[in-house]
């Protein structure tokens, strides 16, 4: 598990709207049973603000990072990452900064 890895959302109630989760937690807390994630929401379900909700591409499809829905989940339910969005690090960090300002 690495920062900015993307996982399929295991939540049966939320996965239709937000099919993926982005891990944002740094490696220095890998020993915890949980990790901090932000959902990637299908654009048809959500219209966001550019800085707070940047567009993230996963498998050629655009999703919005739903930064205000930041949460933690058990690592054990995430499975294997499907991709990484490390290239979007600047936008993700800017969105988190905007949320906390």
């Amino acid at each position: 598990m690495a920062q900015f890895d993307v996982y399929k959302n295991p939540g049966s109630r939320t996965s239709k709207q937000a099919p993926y989760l982005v891990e944002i937690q740094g490696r220095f807390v890998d020993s915890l049973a949980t990790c901090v994630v932000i959902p990637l929401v299908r654009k048809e379900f959500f219209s966001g603000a550019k800085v707070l909700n940047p567009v993230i591409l996963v498998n050629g499809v655009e999703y919005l990072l739903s930064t205000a829905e930041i949460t933690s989940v058990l690592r054990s339910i995430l499975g294997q990452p499907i991709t990484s969005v490390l290239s979007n690090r600047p936008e993700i960090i800017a969105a988190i900064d905007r949320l906390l300002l």
Side-chain angles (χ1 to χ4, degrees):
M1 299 187 123
Q3 190 175 40
F4 305 112
D5 277 354
V6 176
Y7 299 87
K8 286 189 176 184
N9 182 351
S12 59
R13 292 182 301 139
T14 59
S15 61
K16 181 178 179 183
Q17 183 175 352
Y20 301 108
L21 304 172
V22 178
E23 180 177 1
I24 60 160
Q25 185 167 296
R27 292 184 181 187
F28 66 94
V29 285
D30 271 351
S31 61
L32 297 177
T34 59
C35 64
V36 180
V37 298
I38 299 176
L40 290 174
V41 177
R42 294 181 190 277
K43 290 177 80 174
E44 62 265 22
F45 288 104
F46 185 65
S47 61
K50 186 173 182 170
V51 173
L52 189 61
N53 309 107
V55 173
I56 306 289
L57 205 61
V58 176
N59 295 330
V61 179
E62 292 183 341
Y63 297 92
L64 294 174
L65 186 74
S66 187
T67 309
E69 295 184 272
I70 192 170
T71 191
S72 66
V73 297
L74 290 170
R75 287 183 183 279
S76 61
I77 69 168
L78 288 179
Q80 296 297 313
I82 61 160
T83 192
S84 172
V85 291
L86 181 60
S87 63
N88 294 101
R89 183 185 190 283
E91 298 89 41
I92 295 170
I93 297 298
I96 295 165
D97 285 347
R98 178 57 59 120
L99 178 68
L100 300 177
L101 289 177

